[in-house]
Amino acid sequence: MTDQPEAIVASQEGMADQNGDTLSSLSKDMFEKLGACVSHDLQTSCQEYALLQRMNEVAQHECETMQTSVREAHGHMDTIQQQYAEMQSKFAQVDELCSGIDQLNDVVQQLDTYSKQLETRFKEISRR
């Protein structure tokens, strides 16, 4: 009978060793899979940061391009404003010419009316 308790203890120790090996194996497997999961998450984050960096570089390039375009447009606008200022006197002269032409048209109309009146008088005098 003394052999039976020792056999039970040996059997239990064998099972404990087997359970310990299984637990150790499962723990090792769990940590490997956890490591793979964390590694994948880190790779994904790195890829996202790389994408964000590339997007920032592209946006910066676009901003620089737009800034250059705005500077060029501003330069052209300054040139146009200078040309417009130079032409203001010419515009004033054109306005004066138009005003003079309008006055001449009025005089021509008055002369035309007067000449028609004279013609009518001349015909009346000629008939008599």
Side-chain angles (χ1 to χ4, degrees):
M1 289 232 181
T2 56
D3 289 335
Q4 282 184 347
E6 286 178 13
I8 292 174
V9 170
S11 173
Q12 287 176 350
E13 286 177 1
M15 286 175 54
D17 286 341
Q18 188 180 16
N19 285 339
D21 289 342
T22 303
L23 183 61
S24 177
S25 172
L26 289 174
S27 294
K28 182 178 178 183
D29 187 45
M30 178 190 73
F31 280 114
E32 286 174 358
K33 288 180 180 179
L34 183 62
C37 182
V38 169
S39 176
H40 177 49
D41 285 348
L42 289 175
Q43 285 177 350
T44 302
S45 294
C46 287
Q47 289 172 349
E48 288 174 355
Y49 283 123
L51 178 62
L52 284 173
Q53 182 178 4
R54 179 68 181 132
M55 289 170 63
N56 282 336
E57 290 169 356
V58 169
Q60 180 182 4
H61 176 69
E62 288 298 318
C63 287
E64 289 170 356
T65 302
M66 288 184 350
Q67 184 180 22
T68 302
S69 297
V70 167
R71 283 186 181 150
E72 289 175 1
H74 188 269
H76 293 302
M77 193 147 163
D78 286 342
T79 303
I80 290 170
Q81 285 177 337
Q82 288 173 351
Q83 290 173 348
Y84 183 78
E86 291 170 1
M87 296 189 74
Q88 275 303 104
S89 64
K90 306 284 189 228
F91 293 148
Q93 289 175 355
V94 167
D95 287 342
E96 286 178 26
L97 263 168
C98 285
S99 177
I101 289 172
D102 288 342
Q103 288 175 354
L104 281 174
N105 276 334
D106 288 343
V107 169
V108 166
Q109 294 256 336
Q110 289 172 0
L111 282 173
D112 189 44
T113 303
Y114 183 70
S115 68
K116 286 180 183 179
Q117 289 173 354
L118 281 177
E119 184 182 356
T120 304
R121 281 188 189 169
F122 179 73
K123 284 182 182 179
E124 283 179 7
I125 294 176
S126 297
R127 281 189 199 159
R128 294 188 194 171

